[in-house]
Amino acid sequence: MTQSLTIARPDDWHLHLRDGAMLAAVLPETARDFARAIIMPNLVPPVTTGAMATAYRDRILAALSEGMTFEPLMTLYLTEDTDPADVAAAHASGLVKAVKLYPAGATTNSASGVSNFDKVRAVLETMAEIGLPLCVHGEVTDAAIDIFDREAVFIDRVLDPVRRATPGLRVVMEHITTKNGVDYVKAHDKDLGATITTHHFIINRNHILVGGIKPHYYCLPVAKREEHRLALRAAATSGDHRFFLGTDSAPHTDPNKESACGCAGCFTATNTMPLLAHVFEGEGALANLEAFSSRNGPAFYGLPVNDATLTLTKGDAPTQFPAKIDTDDGPVTVFDPGFPVYWSAR
Ligand code: DOR
Ligand code: ZN
């Protein structure tokens, strides 16, 4: 029996589009289902100034094919040299919707990120004044901390002290992967939200490592134990306004993933909405899918919910998603949930 669900058109509050040939190939995968996305600034070199964000936005719009509508919501990459006045001007002009904090060395192209938080104090205070959100990659980089503990330790050592020191700073904990992250968000109602990715609802750390290493399931923050996956699912499917979709869809070519030192990132732009319908249906919470993917994010960012809609349809046969998309840089593998999915999106 065919079942269908029409929701306000979703937005992706954490997306990597890259640049050049990769941008051209992955942009339609997102624009097909999503109206807007918060665009990550970890290019090489990173998008650190308003002028660079303007130029990157123009490249994204130029890569959109005829007939596709999509609004990129730009971010600035926070460095220890970021100028508070440049950030304020980029916000005032409407160009920039958030600033991204990468602890230096935490992930892909994060070398220019922050090591000494005293050096970004003035920027964070300006952001608190003007209401510009900080999107946080929440992992410590201390070599002594086990990779599976890096998010929980970051909350205690970095996030909570920074939030206490900067009252009014609006923070998005990006791609939370732990029950600790869920609990921290739930305990703080004001000025705090969190994005959750598609893949962290579906895989735990066993999926990466049992029966052979699966490079296409490796991302950062790395998937954790099953109890954490279940906590993420419960938080998102509850409809709680503090949790919203940020896919962290992060394309890397197959040679860069299937390597002795493979890159972090799962590419989920192509099939995220059908996968989310599957996840929410499995939790008996299809009625809350719209809140998670289309309403809670705009509410946090103070933007209108999209007028356009997206219809999800459940058919009798499994949906055939492409295994890979082709780019001029090489193939990119589409995230494979490892089970049949009967939903598709239009
Ligand atoms: O898995 C990830 N990939 N996590 C990140 O934080 C960065 C991203 C990327 O840019 O590839
Ligand atoms: Zn990311």
Side-chain angles (χ1 to χ4, degrees), residues 240-311:
D240 187 321
H241 68 278
R242 291 166 290 194
F243 299 99
F244 39 95
L245 173 63
T247 66
D248 197 16
S249 181
H252 294 278
T253 62
D254 285 353
N256 284 331
K257 292 285 294 174
E258 299 165 10
S259 144
C261 184
C263 295
C266 296
F267 180 67
T268 54
T270 304
N271 52 1
T272 273
M273 291 312 301
L275 296 184
L276 289 180
H278 178 101
V279 166
F280 276 65
E281 182 186 35
E283 298 287 335
L286 268 180
N288 287 336
L289 178 59
E290 185 179 65
F292 179 71
S293 55
S294 314
R295 294 192 173 272
N296 297 347
F300 183 90
Y301 278 94
L303 294 169
V305 172
N306 297 306
D307 288 331
T309 58
L310 181 75
T311 297

Side-chain angles (χ1 to χ4, degrees), residues 5 33 36 43 74 85 176-177 215 219 240 244 284 287 292 317 339:
L5 173 71
D33 291 352
R36 301 170 291 200
L43 304 183
M74 306 310 292
I176 56 169
T177 58
C219 67
D240 187 321
F244 39 95
F292 179 71
F339 48 74

Side-chain angles (χ1 to χ4, degrees), residues 14-16 40 42 100 102 107 137 174-175 220 248-250:
H14 182 131
L15 177 66
H16 297 271
M40 287 298 120
N42 62 334
K100 176 72 191 237
Y102 289 104
T107 186
H137 183 109
E174 299 285 65
H175 43 51
L220 289 171
D248 197 16
S249 181

